[in-house]
Amino acid sequence: MSKTILVVDDSASLRQVVGIALKQAGYTVVEAVDGKDALSKLDGRKLNLIISDVNMPNMDGISFVKAAKQLPAYKFTPVIMLTTEAEESKKMEGKAAGVRAWVVKPFQPPILLDAVAKLILP
Amino acid sequence: MDLQEARGTLIEEARELLDAMENALLQVESGGDINDAVNAAFRAAHTIKGSAGLFGLDSIVAFTHTSESVLDRVRAGELLIDDHLVTLLLDCRDYIGQLIDAVESGTEDTDPDPTERASLLDQLNNYLGHPHASMGVAATVQADPLERDGDALNVGNHYWHLSLRFTPDVLRNGMDPLSFLRYLGRLGEIVYIYTLTDSVPAAAEMDAEICYLGFEVEFASEADKATIEGVFDFVRDESTIRILPPRSRVEDYIDLIRNLPESPRRLGEILLACGSITQAELDEILALQAGEAAGQPLGTLLVEQRVVHAPVVAAALSTQKQVQEKKGAEQKFIKVEAGKLDQLITLVGELVIAGAATRLLASRSADLAMLETTAHLGTLVESIRDSALDLRMVQIKEIFDRFPRVVRDVSKELGKKIELHVHGGDAELDKSMVDKLTDPLMHVVRNAIDHGIEMPDEREQVDKPAHGSIWLNAYHESGSIVVEIRDDGRGLNRERIRAKAVERGLINADAQLSDEEIWQLIFEPGFSTAEKVTNLSGRGVGMDVVKRNIQELRGDVELSSKQGHGTTLRIRLPLTLAIIDGFQVMVGESVFVIPLELVVECADLGSHDILHDIVNLRGQPLSFIRLRQLFEMPPPPAGTRESLVVVQYGQARAGLVVDKLLGEVQAVIKPLGQLFRHARVIAGSTILGDGRVALILDIAQLIHHTTHDRTTTLPNPGR
Amino acid sequence: MPLRSENDGPQGTLHIEGEFNIYQADQLKPLLLAELSAMENITVDLAQVEEIDTAGIQLLLMLKQEAARQQKAISFINHSKPVLEVFELCNLGGHFGDPMIFTRP
């Protein structure tokens, strides 16, 4: 049974590339365009990992993760946040929300795949 | 889906983001919410950088990074955004656009404009001061024990030794230490692992969500230390992760033992069990360790405790309001390649023709059930046609959105003050028209700025506000879309146009012309009244080109102007280019199609009074033209009862006289062949159900022809 | 609930089923302890464990420890594939000291 990853980013091309890379690596991918959309995807389905952008319209990544961690089914779901060096304060906030894994944008797919593999192998 | 497709998405997305960035920057200038605008611009640059990075487009990443950094400084309140910076950022936006174009054409390896890039980066860096000096944490010097002096006492172990004590919260944070161990398997081989269960408390005290396990790992790997350390990147800050390279020094083991929670003896046993050290080595280590514990300084360099990266807290951001963006609507849309839509429309066109053929056959067969089915089929085909055409409809906003920037740039260049008012951006029209309408519209707006709006002082002299205004308006009117460009500038100068036209030999010096006729002169090829040729509208692309472009879209241009008060230009276009509801008429053996929405009424010509080419229609005179005459077809057989079709385009009406009315038809417009290239009253052709070709009449031209120029005849279209 | 028990005189069998990880750990801990105290000697059947993580291992360790404290015999049987994988990864077989055989292919 392949592991499922929720990818949350407002950039369609990022979702596409990340999606392709993850699928090729053997994961199942669910996409969401922003925090709000992502929350709607937390419908009880099993997720092994969440990859989320920080800066997004409608609901940013930190608020989304905070909300997700309130849900029993996703309380312990590992999260990789995509961030930039310019978002140190966001990192603090994310840490408070339970985020430990960060991947700095811009990145190329192998970097992200590597980070993912450290948390869950396919 | 493959990466090539994703590249297409990247390009499209980047262009949307660049538009968003432009809008945001213009908003800064127009005095909108600056925080919101700067955030939006930052986000746009940021997302482009992120996406480009995925594709390894380093040139874009590097450049957007610098632009983004400047925006970030603005966001943080460290930099004030002024007109000059807005202009610079707009230029950067344009340059990024060029980089994206290069990606599209596959030439991203060559910089599209190295001079521009260098100049922009120079300016950006000026805003950043010394860009990189203040960034980053002081480099951590990680002394690698292996590289140190060889006379120290080394253990004989060939493997890496990893001591892992995870933070108690590691599980709660969603990370399972086991996954790191599994990942290690990718870098090498776990030779031996000892799981420390010592810390698991008695059942009563145990918190099931806390991690109590520790691991001592003997690891065979060719990987370097940084790579192995990297495995624990996500937990390193809070956990105790010690990594000893092969053949580490005894001191390093002592240090290890000292820094782990378990007792030295216990650790010694584990290390022994792991095979990290031999009994003899352990004895020595324990002895040394005991000595040190007794107060004797070890006097050796120990691997420094890992530098904890103190997070650099960015300057306090002003509390960002949650920007409510329409972007959330994105999920309701599916992006479809334009080519696929075109293909669909083509197929629907074929379906319409095939449907018409079937209906024709059915009516010949006089089979009632068959007729009923085909009628039903016909209705369905019609709905499919409408839905398919609707898919191609886009909001004219897509064009209008480009104008704030144009107005800004051009007015700045000319030293004019101009406000742009946009209305009706949600009016829809065919996507293919949007693409073709952009250039003419751009030209008209530039003209309005350049020739229409006066300089501020000139305006004040005539008691006008120093700020000129340009209105862009779009609305639907009887099957057409009307785009109106209005300005409150100086208006057209009747006398000057007239003089110019005489000088160019376009009219006779004594010609009596109405205002309307005068205005039409500016659409004549090569006509230009600007006294000063600027680099904006004086490039030789005249209003004639605008008019021709619009006519190619089966539309027309109408102009009204009042000297001193401004000019209004109306572009009227059909809603779609592909399929129309038509009205079929017959002249001799030829079938013509008139766009249905332009047909006002039909009448029997014989029952009305006729004088020359004017018919008295319920007391109103109406000019008419015989299509037979227009197309130089032989006279009708005696006893033909001619019919009159009254058509209206815009405000003008005219009558068309035909032999026979055939009724409504869906006409799939096919491009005209070379033969009719010069037949201006023909808009296109269509294929009828029985396979014959019918010509679609260009009513705008016909009305013009009927009311103005009655001397020309046209070649017989025949078959 | 992923716990099922059969109490056959002094000898009880506890079946742990499905996911046995951090998500269930807090809830399972008291249940496991309750089962343990209800039984004289306990056999823990791991055949139906589909997933196990550090939290799960810790609960097994806790059971073993607590059984020893209560002077009860405990044995773990029918290790499922995921359990075997983790035991192997952490080299815990010796610690538990139970014979491990592949119960499922």
Side-chain angles (χ1 to χ4, degrees):
Chain A
M1 192 180 56
S2 95
K3 300 204 170 135
T4 306
I5 300 177
L6 173 65
V7 177
V8 193
D9 198 297
D10 53 336
S11 157
S13 67
L14 183 135
R15 290 197 308 273
Q16 232 173 59
V17 175
V18 167
I20 292 168
L22 290 174
K23 281 174 200 161
Q24 278 173 357
Y27 299 98
T28 302
V29 178
V30 179
E31 293 182 18
V33 301
D34 58 35
K36 219 166 155 183
D37 186 28
L39 268 188
S40 76
K41 302 272 157 71
L42 300 185
D43 50 8
R45 75 181 85 195
K46 180 160 173 132
L47 288 181
N48 298 87
L49 178 72
I50 293 171
I51 298 176
S52 174
D53 189 19
V54 173
N55 203 339
M56 291 181 292
N58 288 324
M59 182 188 271
D60 65 57
I62 308 278
S63 309
F64 161 63
V65 170
K66 278 186 192 156
K69 296 271 175 187
Q70 297 300 311
L71 303 169
Y74 307 101
K75 198 173 166 188
F76 303 112
T77 307
V79 178
I80 293 180
M81 293 232 95
L82 308 178
T83 181
T84 52
E85 66 283 2
E87 290 174 322
E88 278 298 337
S89 63
K90 289 282 167 194
K91 220 162 161 170
M92 299 289 283
E93 266 185 71
K95 215 166 168 180
V99 178
R100 292 297 180 278
W102 302 85
V103 170
V104 177
K105 278 191 191 179
F107 57 82
Q108 288 201 37
I111 303 287
L112 182 68
L113 281 181
D114 220 38
V116 170
K118 286 170 191 168
L119 296 175
I120 54 163
L121 283 178
Chain B
M1 176 162 39
D2 58 15
L3 279 169
Q4 201 48 44
E5 260 177 69
R7 238 171 127 92
T9 311
L10 167 84
I11 291 161
E12 196 180 330
E13 175 182 280
R15 291 203 173 123
E16 280 169 20
L17 288 165
L18 287 173
D19 287 348
M21 186 172 171
E22 180 177 283
N23 285 338
L25 290 170
L26 293 173
Q27 197 189 323
V28 168
E29 220 175 34
S30 64
D33 187 326
I34 289 190
N35 279 345
D36 275 6
V38 169
N39 268 332
F42 171 83
R43 178 150 65 216
H46 176 63
T47 306
I48 292 171
K49 181 175 93 172
S51 303
L54 281 172
F55 292 89
L57 299 166
D58 296 335
S59 160
I60 298 182
V61 171
F63 187 82
T64 43
H65 174 75
T66 313
S67 315
E68 180 198 303
S69 303
V70 170
L71 278 162
D72 195 41
R73 299 271 309 260
V74 175
R75 223 162 61 126
E78 296 165 15
L79 208 61
L80 207 64
I81 191 158
D82 57 7
D83 276 13
H84 184 253
L85 183 51
V86 169
T87 305
L88 171 61
L89 288 168
L90 282 171
D91 289 345
C92 290
R93 175 230 169 258
D94 293 348
Y95 174 71
I96 297 168
Q98 287 185 48
L99 292 173
I100 296 294
D101 291 345
V103 173
E104 188 176 36
S105 58
T107 56
E108 69 264 24
D109 294 336
T110 324
D111 195 304
D113 192 345
T115 333
E116 174 77 351
R117 184 187 182 102
S119 140
L120 291 173
L121 283 174
D122 251 20
Q123 296 177 65
L124 288 172
N125 282 327
N126 272 340
Y127 277 101
L128 291 174
H130 304 287
H132 297 295
S134 61
M135 279 174 61
V137 186
T140 312
V141 182
Q142 281 275 343
D144 188 340
L146 264 187
E147 288 169 12
R148 286 188 297 176
D149 215 317
D151 65 7
L153 177 62
N154 291 359
V155 299
N157 185 13
H158 296 269
Y159 303 124
W160 294 83
H161 184 83
L162 282 56
S163 296
L164 315 172
R165 302 292 184 276
F166 295 96
T167 171
D169 271 342
V170 69
L171 302 173
R172 286 205 173 107
N173 289 335
M175 292 176 287
D176 186 356
L178 301 184
S179 51
F180 299 119
L181 296 179
R182 289 191 185 105
Y183 185 86
L184 278 178
R186 285 192 162 189
L187 298 180
E189 191 196 343
I190 294 177
V191 179
Y192 187 85
I193 189 165
Y194 189 96
T195 301
L196 280 130
T197 60
D198 306 37
S199 310
V200 180
E205 283 95 60
M206 180 178 167
D207 179 337
E209 291 176 359
I210 277 183
C211 177
Y212 299 102
L213 302 185
F215 302 91
E216 293 292 317
V217 184
E218 214 49 27
F219 186 50
S221 174
E222 297 296 315
D224 59 18
K225 187 166 184 187
T227 307
I228 297 173
E229 274 177 352
V231 175
F232 306 97
D233 265 349
F234 302 146
V235 288
R236 229 163 46 177
D237 286 358
E238 295 160 315
S239 306
T240 308
I241 308 292
R242 312 286 303 191
I243 296 168
L244 296 184
R247 295 181 192 283
S248 280
R249 306 191 319 163
V250 168
E251 285 93 332
D252 298 321
Y253 278 92
I254 294 172
D255 179 53
L256 174 75
I257 288 169
R258 200 175 49 174
N259 280 288
L260 292 174
E262 292 81 9
S263 74
R265 195 145 297 279
R266 171 89 176 105
L267 283 167
E269 285 165 18
I270 296 167
L271 291 175
L272 206 56
C274 286
S276 318
I277 48 174
T278 61
Q279 184 66 51
E281 283 165 348
L282 174 62
D283 290 345
E284 189 177 349
I285 287 168
L286 288 178
L288 275 168
Q289 206 276 334
E292 190 203 13
Q296 281 175 277
L298 206 57
T300 27
L301 276 170
L302 296 169
V303 177
E304 289 297 310
Q305 183 71 22
R306 200 156 284 99
V307 175
V308 178
H309 292 236
V312 182
V313 184
L317 297 175
S318 53
T319 25
Q320 293 172 24
K321 279 183 295 169
Q322 198 63 45
V323 189
Q324 286 300 328
E325 278 189 67
K326 286 189 203 142
K327 238 187 149 182
E330 186 188 44
Q331 50 191 296
K332 291 178 197 146
F333 295 99
I334 305 175
K335 282 184 180 158
V336 180
E337 210 182 296
K340 287 186 184 168
L341 270 188
D342 290 343
Q343 199 190 352
L344 177 68
I345 302 286
T346 311
L347 283 174
V348 169
E350 297 299 328
L351 186 64
V352 168
I353 292 171
T358 315
R359 203 181 321 186
L360 197 69
L361 284 177
S363 65
R364 280 183 193 155
S365 77
D367 178 335
L368 265 184
M370 172 83 107
L371 274 174
E372 225 169 275
T373 338
T374 47
H376 182 54
L377 201 63
T379 324
L380 290 176
V381 167
E382 218 168 289
S383 328
I384 288 182
R385 177 203 66 178
D386 289 346
S387 312
L389 287 178
D390 196 45
L391 289 178
R392 285 219 310 201
M393 298 301 262
V394 295
Q395 297 192 342
I396 197 164
K397 193 172 175 300
E398 209 172 282
I399 310 181
F400 281 5
D401 278 354
R402 304 185 191 183
F403 284 100
R405 174 76 188 276
V406 174
V407 171
R408 173 199 180 271
D409 285 358
V410 177
S411 54
K412 268 234 152 100
E413 193 173 321
L414 297 174
K416 293 181 179 178
K417 292 178 178 170
I418 298 173
E419 275 172 40
L420 179 70
H421 312 266
V422 179
H423 299 282
D426 53 356
E428 293 186 323
L429 77 169
D430 197 283
K431 168 80 181 157
S432 57
M433 312 240 306
V434 165
D435 299 338
K436 289 175 188 148
L437 188 58
T438 310
D439 281 349
L441 218 50
M442 196 67 82
H443 187 79
V444 171
V445 170
R446 282 171 176 246
N447 247 332
I449 303 169
D450 200 6
H451 303 317
I453 305 285
E454 311 90 332
M455 297 299 286
D457 48 348
E458 198 181 325
R459 287 179 66 88
E460 274 166 348
Q461 277 169 23
V462 293
D463 282 340
K464 282 181 172 182
H467 269 93
S469 280
I470 291 178
W471 289 266
L472 272 179
N473 192 11
Y475 54 90
H476 287 276
E477 192 183 87
S478 65
S480 311
I481 183 167
V482 179
V483 182
E484 211 176 70
I485 305 100
R486 183 159 66 91
D487 68 65
D488 68 346
R490 55 170 74 95
L492 294 180
N493 185 328
R494 197 191 139 93
E495 288 319 308
R496 199 180 297 160
I497 292 172
R498 196 195 153 81
K500 186 84 166 219
V502 172
E503 178 195 318
R504 295 275 156 111
L506 295 170
I507 52 168
N508 287 327
D510 55 354
Q512 293 298 312
L513 296 175
S514 67
D515 277 358
E516 217 171 291
E517 286 164 326
I518 294 277
W519 307 150
Q520 285 300 321
L521 290 171
I522 68 168
F523 294 115
E524 293 298 324
F527 191 93
S528 169
T529 57
E531 283 155 352
K532 182 175 66 171
V533 173
T534 67
N535 66 341
L536 295 169
S537 43
R539 280 181 189 148
V541 183
M543 293 299 283
D544 57 319
V545 177
V546 171
K547 185 161 187 173
R548 201 165 59 231
N549 283 340
I550 298 298
Q551 280 173 343
E552 272 167 19
L553 297 171
R554 296 197 291 117
D556 78 341
V557 185
E558 192 183 297
L559 194 139
S560 61
S561 182
K562 198 170 170 199
Q563 200 166 354
H565 289 87
T567 304
T568 303
L569 191 118
R570 257 179 225 100
I571 295 173
R572 191 182 304 273
L573 292 165
L575 285 180
T576 178
L577 291 172
I579 306 176
I580 57 164
D581 275 316
F583 186 74
Q584 277 186 99
V585 297
M586 213 166 169
V587 181
E589 286 303 303
S590 301
V591 179
F592 295 92
V593 174
I594 304 165
L596 188 64
E597 70 246 8
L598 304 179
V599 175
V600 181
E601 63 171 304
C602 299
D604 182 7
L605 186 67
S607 60
H608 293 87
D609 296 335
I610 303 171
L611 183 66
H612 298 297
D613 43 17
I614 307 281
V615 59
N616 178 352
L617 195 66
R618 292 185 297 276
Q620 294 290 322
L622 179 77
S623 312
F624 69 84
I625 189 166
R626 285 191 162 83
L627 291 187
R628 185 175 287 280
Q629 211 176 322
L630 182 70
F631 292 111
E632 292 185 308
M633 292 156 79
T640 303
R641 285 187 62 184
E642 291 172 311
S643 293
L644 178 75
V645 181
V646 183
V647 292
Q648 174 165 3
Y649 190 77
Q651 300 309 311
R653 282 188 178 204
L656 304 176
V657 176
V658 302
D659 292 358
K660 215 166 154 189
L661 305 174
L662 294 179
E664 291 178 29
V665 66
Q666 288 182 56
V668 180
I669 302 178
K670 301 269 174 188
L672 278 175
Q674 283 294 321
L675 184 60
F676 300 113
R677 214 162 33 123
H678 303 293
R680 299 185 77 187
V681 300
I682 306 292
S685 66
T686 186
I687 298 167
L688 299 173
D690 59 7
R692 282 193 298 163
V693 174
L695 295 176
I696 299 166
L697 297 177
D698 185 332
I699 299 303
Q701 286 297 327
L702 262 179
I703 291 179
H704 184 78
H705 189 80
T706 310
T707 47
H708 292 90
D709 179 11
R710 5 218 47 255
T711 53
T712 348
T713 51
L714 295 144
N716 185 340
R719 278 289 312 265
Chain C
M1 213 57 230
L3 272 194
R4 192 161 55 81
S5 63
E6 299 154 33
N7 221 333
D8 181 19
Q11 184 62 40
T13 304
L14 183 63
H15 300 265
I16 300 175
E17 298 174 351
E19 292 182 11
F20 189 43
N21 57 28
I22 180 73
Y23 291 93
Q24 290 83 24
D26 207 34
Q27 272 175 292
L28 277 180
K29 184 196 152 195
L31 297 175
L32 288 168
L33 290 173
E35 295 288 351
L36 176 64
S37 39
M39 295 174 188
E40 276 303 302
N41 292 311
I42 185 165
T43 303
V44 183
D45 188 326
L46 302 170
Q48 303 300 320
V49 174
E50 287 164 11
E51 218 183 285
I52 184 166
D53 67 353
T54 302
I57 297 172
Q58 292 185 155
L59 287 176
L60 295 183
L61 288 167
M62 174 198 78
L63 271 181
K64 191 169 173 71
Q65 227 169 273
E66 185 61 18
R69 199 184 63 82
Q70 295 180 17
Q71 297 186 319
K72 292 176 178 175
I74 187 166
S75 56
F76 296 88
I77 61 162
N78 294 338
H79 304 70
S80 71
K81 210 175 162 190
V83 177
L84 283 175
E85 187 261 328
V86 165
F87 272 37
E88 198 176 327
L89 179 68
C90 300
N91 193 16
L92 277 170
H95 187 93
F96 282 98
D98 300 291
M100 295 188 292
I101 45 163
F102 283 95
T103 52
R104 287 192 288 174

